[in-house]
Amino acid sequence: MNQLCRSNAANRIVRFVKTLYTEGSSPTTAARCYSTKLAPEPSTNIGKASPVASNVPTERKSIIPPNYRYVYQEFLPDPKVEWRNSVREKLERKDMLDRRANIDIPEFYVGSVVAVTSSDPHAENKTARFVGICILREKCGLRARFILRNVIDHQGVEISYDLYDPTLQKIEVLRLEKRLDENLLYLRDALDEYSTFDVNMEPEILPEGSPVPINDVKVVLKPRPWYARWERHNLQGVANIDEHTNERKRRKAEAVAQPWEKYDLMKEYRRTIPEEEQKEIFTEIYSQLHSLELARKKMKRKRTFVKPTKLA
């Protein structure tokens, strides 16, 4: 009796295995019996592109130039979360584009020599023109501002301008360049020769497409007192800062220094706008900025004067 039961069970197992591997069963059905993962669909058209694969969207390359985050840095909002407001930021960007449609705001950085013509009701021609080196650019949106410095009649003069001030009539870049530091406020304590520029200075035109040059000049500071404790700022553009710093001030500077900040990724994240959000902002304004750039380049070619090699 036991032997009969065993033979019947063996026959049932054999029949079950045969049903799994019959000619009519597909590999997909057999695979599903032993695995929870779906097997790939059998390809009937060998050598032909699958219609499913052709419909998969490929990642498109961004058309936004990577230097937009530096050229149009005022379009990026303040990274502090408590000051963010998406509606206000969108309205400000619209107002900034409308303002740029009325006045040409060229590309310039800290260290560039800029000439600004603004309305002045007390001037003779109701306009005033000031030439100076840009020593600071700060803030964002409609509150973006920059400071120009020049030494006139042995007296240092600084003027702060709002970048989108409606009283500005013209902004010219006479010399486009960068410096080694983020701001040049230490020029207030430097020799006058580093902040002296001719008010009738002619613009220096760079070839189209050339990179922005970096001026690696190192200024010489005057003896103390200074505007700030420059020995604590890790400046790259100052040559003689150690000459005016004694051992006591050097020890204090080392005590308050925080060299580990450059490795603090979370702190750096809070100080900046994420790259994904930057792309979203510049995608919104790219078309209008691009059209303004093309118009500016067209006018620049008309103003460019090429000196003839042969005289008539």
Side-chain angles (χ1 to χ4, degrees), residues 65 132 173 184 206:
V173 177
L184 304 180
L206 293 175

Side-chain angles (χ1 to χ4, degrees), residues 43 45-49:
S43 59
N45 300 328
I46 301 176
K48 296 182 180 180

Side-chain angles (χ1 to χ4, degrees), residues 234-248:
N234 191 23
L235 300 175
Q236 305 295 325
V238 180
N240 65 332
I241 196 168
D242 292 333
E243 298 179 5
H244 304 290
T245 305
N246 53 27
E247 187 63 26
R248 176 171 166 269

Side-chain angles (χ1 to χ4, degrees), residues 263-271:
Y263 305 109
D264 192 345
L265 299 181
M266 198 63 197
K267 193 170 186 177
E268 184 67 22
Y269 175 79
R270 294 193 188 100
R271 290 177 178 176

